[in-house]
Amino acid sequence: MVDQARATMTREVVKLGKALGAEIRGVDLTRPMDDATFAFVHKAWLDNLVIVLRGMSLDTDQQVAFGTRFGEPAPTQTANIVRRTEHPAIMYISNRKENGKFIDQLPEGEMQFHIDQCYTVRPPKATILHSMNIPSAGGDTLFSNHYMAYECLAPSVKARIAGAKVLNVYDYSNAGTMKNDRIRDDAPQAWHPVVRTHPESGRKCLFVNRLMSMKLDGMEKAESDDLLETMFEAIERPEHIWAHEWRVGDLLMWDNRCTSHARQDFPAQELRLMRRLTIKGDKPV
Ligand code: SIN
């Protein structure tokens, strides 16, 4: 009976935001995905940049199996990790504490717009979050469409950033959610093109973000700051953003090559728990 019901489920894509974001219905991630279903999900992801499947209750292996259809899971458990998890590519984002100390990543409140691990030479292509506990208010994740952010720039700005490189830096020694005035010199960092060409869509998009992009190569500080601020404002325009309001059981995947994301504040005393997996990406060009 159950199998029959699954076999007849109709797959559909329902747009959630004007700029990006779509819900996929009629796909069961607890079972191995056939090639036709994968092609459907993959296209929906490339077209909508962020996809969400509601009401999932996946274990780690099922989440990893889904992610592996898109590429190789990226190990996250570097020297600075607080706590090892059951899989080298799995990380928990939560405000859980043991003995008064946070045991997971990104435990606190608001977080500025960022591209995951853009301070590495090959940033992940995708991040997959599965929500397990959510607070009663707040904690939405906001996504920005970086194709639109690039396309809306004035031709004179596009000319100034053509071929430019940006230094992306992430300082693990601060809370990691807001840019500090001073960043340690030995914080992980990488130079990348300011405008990258998406390897699958072939479209140009901005590859900068407020949390981690520090300066443009070969420019005076004032000019670099001015251009970065122009791009951050384009990224953060309301018409380029969609806010995801979490429910328990959401399985959400974003394209980390052409989006950035930010998090709204939430009550510190309420548990927010996400299981995160990232998929290896290319060197941006
Ligand atoms: C992240 O930046 O990976 C976490 C986003 C969130 O907690 O909503």
Side-chain angles (χ1 to χ4, degrees):
M1 215 29 207
V2 172
D3 276 353
Q4 238 175 5
R6 277 177 176 144
T8 55
M9 276 197 299
T10 310
R11 297 186 301 233
E12 59 176 329
V13 178
V14 179
K15 299 243 179 224
L16 295 174
K18 277 198 177 139
L20 72 169
E23 180 180 344
I24 295 187
R25 296 186 184 155
V27 172
D28 177 6
L29 297 186
T30 61
R31 291 147 55 95
M33 201 188 281
D34 61 42
D35 289 346
T37 307
F38 171 68
F40 177 84
V41 173
H42 186 238
K43 181 174 181 331
W45 177 60
L46 289 181
D47 290 350
N48 294 287
L49 286 49
V50 186
I51 52 170
V52 58
L53 293 96
R54 304 272 198 187
M56 299 286 139
S57 179
L58 303 186
D59 62 25
T60 299
D61 289 346
Q62 289 165 333
Q63 186 170 346
V64 172
F66 172 68
T68 305
R69 292 303 303 255
F70 293 84
E72 196 183 334
T76 53
Q77 310 203 359
T78 49
N80 67 312
I81 198 91
V82 186
R83 191 176 64 89
R84 308 246 148 232
T85 66
E86 67 277 20
H87 187 285
I90 288 289
M91 166 193 279
Y92 288 92
I93 293 181
S94 93
N95 49 0
R96 290 188 290 197
K97 284 185 178 172
E98 268 172 26
N99 302 322
K101 287 200 174 132
F102 291 122
I103 56 168
D104 296 311
Q105 304 294 305
L106 307 174
E108 288 177 299
E110 189 183 347
M111 193 168 188
Q112 285 175 326
F113 274 94
H114 63 284
I115 299 169
D116 282 346
Q117 293 163 44
C118 62
Y119 50 86
T120 61
V121 175
R122 287 182 180 72
K125 69 196 270 194
T127 300
I128 303 165
L129 281 188
H130 191 18
S131 59
M132 305 170 88
N133 282 87
I134 52 162
S136 58
D140 292 1
T141 307
L142 278 51
F143 293 93
S144 168
N145 180 329
H146 282 215
Y147 295 126
M148 287 181 164
Y150 173 69
E151 283 156 14
C152 80
L153 296 174
S156 58
V157 174
K158 284 186 180 157
R160 285 165 72 198
I161 59 174
K165 298 261 186 228
V166 60
L167 182 66
N168 293 324
V169 183
Y170 188 53
D171 194 342
Y172 288 105
S173 66
N174 62 39
T177 56
M178 295 284 161
K179 192 182 270 173
N180 263 6
D181 290 343
R182 246 204 110 261
I183 304 279
R184 286 177 309 120
D185 292 339
D186 62 347
Q189 46 195 276
W191 286 97
H192 287 302
V194 169
V195 181
R196 76 178 288 185
T197 303
H198 192 288
E200 293 186 84
S201 71
R203 293 174 65 193
K204 285 183 177 178
C205 55
L206 288 180
F207 202 62
V208 298
N209 62 98
R210 193 176 288 281
L211 180 60
M212 298 171 187
S213 295
M214 303 303 297
K215 61 179 178 187
L216 304 186
D217 195 22
M219 289 185 196
E220 293 297 328
K221 182 172 171 11
E223 185 185 10
S224 166
D225 286 353
D226 178 53
L227 278 171
L228 281 172
E229 191 53 39
T230 300
M231 291 187 274
F232 298 157
E233 281 170 12
I235 288 166
E236 295 166 15
R237 274 192 208 167
E239 66 266 30
H240 298 158
I241 289 175
W242 163 69
H244 179 61
E245 201 177 316
W246 291 95
R247 294 183 205 154
V248 170
D250 288 348
L251 192 284
L252 182 145
M253 177 167 79
W254 63 83
D255 189 330
N256 195 51
R257 301 164 291 191
C258 54
T259 64
S260 62
H261 54 284
R263 184 174 70 191
Q264 289 177 338
D265 202 5
F266 57 91
Q269 68 284 4
E270 290 187 35
L271 178 62
R272 185 178 188 276
L273 172 63
M274 309 270 172
R275 192 198 292 129
R276 186 177 102 156
L277 172 72
T278 52
I279 306 300
K280 285 185 180 176
D282 303 324
K283 192 170 182 311
V285 287

